[in-house]
Amino acid sequence: MTKPSDLLNVLVPHKAFQRAYDALEDAVLMAREQGGGIIPILGPTRCGKTELLNQICAALGKEATGPGSMFPAPTARYGVVPSKPSDKDLYISILRALGHGCKAQASTDTIRSRIEKTIADEDVQIIALDECNHCIESGANLTLRATGDHFKRLVDETRVTLILSGLPNFQKVIDGNEQLRARAMSTIFFKPYNWAKEDDREAFATAVFALFDHLDGNGVTLDFDRDDLATRLYCISGGRVGLVLRLLRGALLRKSENRLALADIQSAASILFQDRSKVAILFDTEAPNDLRQVRSYVDVMQSAGLELEPSTLVELGALTDEPV
């Protein structure tokens, strides 16, 4: 049975997504022409990195029958690095991305050899690994240098193109390993929309209104002021379209019949968000002002460890937490 939230199982090819997609596609094509490479793509959570990786794999991973395989398979594979990985866990996640498992007692060297053989046998050209920041988070059983060495060796031995996606703190792995840094291509940063920039405001609004239009076109009556809600959704999400999608999907589960009201969105937000101040944005009598909007963006960027250089007085006020 189709769930109401399935109405928004859609990809929104908004401006920031398309910009990141184009940059990643160019980097992958260049890496493949040069016999493999390492491409980092980093950004705050809920910006759309996972969707981006899946799109790239679908677009560039054509079906092929490798020299050691009997059946055609995609030449691009997607996988996820588990939390708190060890050296062995990291290799297991790569093997799983290739569509294979291993026995629990298999050694790290055995798994690594199997990965290299699978890449050659099945003509795998691209491996996209998500959540790479797990390699360096508290509790991980990997050092920065060891993490970098594993990725470097994989590319050196197989000439595969390795896309490494995650939170911006993964950049420490690249910066902390001079050999990896020499092999890695320029990091692509997938950032949220910045309210202080007019083009970004318009692009965010365009993406949100595309979601509203999609719902409307599928028979859902929208019982709220679209302009007002789009403004509030920016403040809640800090400019991240992925977070807006999450909230609207939740709201669809609260709606009555085919009518989506502000009360449904408020109810969903109260369940989905840990931060009560985010929920309060939907209940405020007045829509967020520019300073509050920019502070929301700044909070997302700072939480992700990304540097900010204010270009407007409003941004300066948001960074210093002072009125302007």
Side-chain angles (χ1 to χ4, degrees):
M1 182 178 178
T2 302
K3 296 183 297 184
S5 57
D6 288 342
L7 275 175
L8 284 179
N9 283 341
V10 295
L11 177 69
V12 184
H14 55 91
K15 186 175 180 180
F17 184 96
Q18 193 62 50
R19 185 166 52 233
Y21 180 94
D22 291 343
L24 183 55
E25 182 181 46
D26 287 345
V28 169
L29 294 176
M30 184 174 292
R32 288 171 63 179
E33 286 294 323
Q34 296 182 348
I38 296 171
I39 308 169
I41 177 161
L42 309 177
T45 186
R46 293 287 176 180
C47 277
K49 297 186 297 296
T50 298
E51 291 80 1
L52 178 61
L53 296 185
N54 285 320
Q55 284 292 304
I56 281 289
C57 287
L60 303 183
K62 63 180 181 179
E63 294 275 327
T65 302
S69 179
M70 296 179 60
F71 305 101
T75 56
R77 312 289 174 88
Y78 168 86
V80 180
V81 176
S83 60
K84 302 180 181 179
S86 62
D87 301 79
K88 183 175 178 178
D89 294 331
L90 179 58
Y91 281 114
I92 289 174
S93 69
I94 296 172
L95 187 60
R96 286 176 176 165
L98 295 172
H100 296 273
C102 64
K103 295 180 179 179
Q105 63 269 29
S107 69
T108 301
D109 285 342
T110 298
I111 299 169
R112 182 170 57 205
S113 296
R114 188 174 176 192
I115 289 170
E116 294 171 3
K117 185 176 186 303
T118 299
I119 291 172
D121 287 347
E122 300 182 9
D123 192 26
V124 178
Q125 299 174 19
I126 302 167
I127 300 175
L129 285 181
D130 213 348
E131 304 287 0
C132 288
N133 49 283
H134 285 164
C135 293
I136 62 167
E137 290 175 351
S138 177
N141 297 298
L142 282 165
T143 64
L144 293 181
R145 178 160 291 278
T147 300
D149 286 344
H150 291 319
F151 292 135
K152 176 177 65 67
R153 172 172 175 159
L154 178 62
V155 173
D156 287 348
E157 294 294 327
T158 66
R159 299 175 70 83
V160 75
T161 294
L162 192 58
I163 303 172
L164 303 179
S165 175
L167 298 178
N169 61 358
F170 183 75
Q171 186 67 34
K172 295 176 184 176
V173 172
I174 301 166
D175 294 339
N177 188 315
E178 65 278 4
Q179 291 182 319
L180 176 65
R181 188 168 64 249
R183 285 166 173 77
M185 301 176 76
S186 178
T187 299
I188 299 167
F189 287 103
F190 191 170
K191 298 178 181 179
Y193 289 110
N194 184 351
W195 185 267
K197 297 180 179 179
E198 183 177 356
D199 287 348
D200 274 18
R201 290 199 305 274
E202 292 179 357
F204 178 84
T206 298
V208 172
F209 277 104
L211 293 174
F212 294 162
D213 290 342
H214 178 78
L215 291 174
D216 186 50
N218 281 274
V220 179
T221 300
L222 305 182
D223 190 12
F224 50 76
D225 184 297
R226 298 189 186 194
D227 290 320
D228 177 74
L229 183 59
T231 300
R232 295 174 191 271
L233 288 175
Y234 180 91
C235 200
I236 290 171
S237 67
R240 293 169 291 174
V241 175
L243 199 57
V244 172
L245 263 171
R246 181 190 181 204
L247 174 56
L248 292 179
R249 284 172 182 153
L252 287 173
L253 297 172
R254 316 295 292 177
K255 70 179 177 64
S256 299
E257 298 180 348
N258 284 326
R259 181 177 297 276
L260 183 64
L262 180 59
D264 301 318
I265 300 170
Q266 291 169 336
S267 176
S270 66
I271 296 171
L272 290 171
F273 293 124
Q274 181 76 218
D275 188 347
R276 308 313 298 174
S277 66
K278 297 293 186 185
V279 180
I281 292 166
L282 290 169
F283 291 88
D284 286 348
T285 303
E286 295 184 2
N289 60 24
D290 285 344
L291 182 57
R292 192 173 182 187
Q293 297 282 49
V294 175
R295 277 179 177 154
S296 179
Y297 169 79
V298 168
D299 287 345
V300 172
M301 295 289 282
Q302 290 181 332
S303 295
L306 289 168
E307 293 184 1
L308 281 165
E309 293 186 6
S311 57
T312 67
L313 286 176
V314 176
E315 284 184 295
L316 179 62
L319 281 167
T320 58
D321 203 31
E322 295 179 356
V324 292

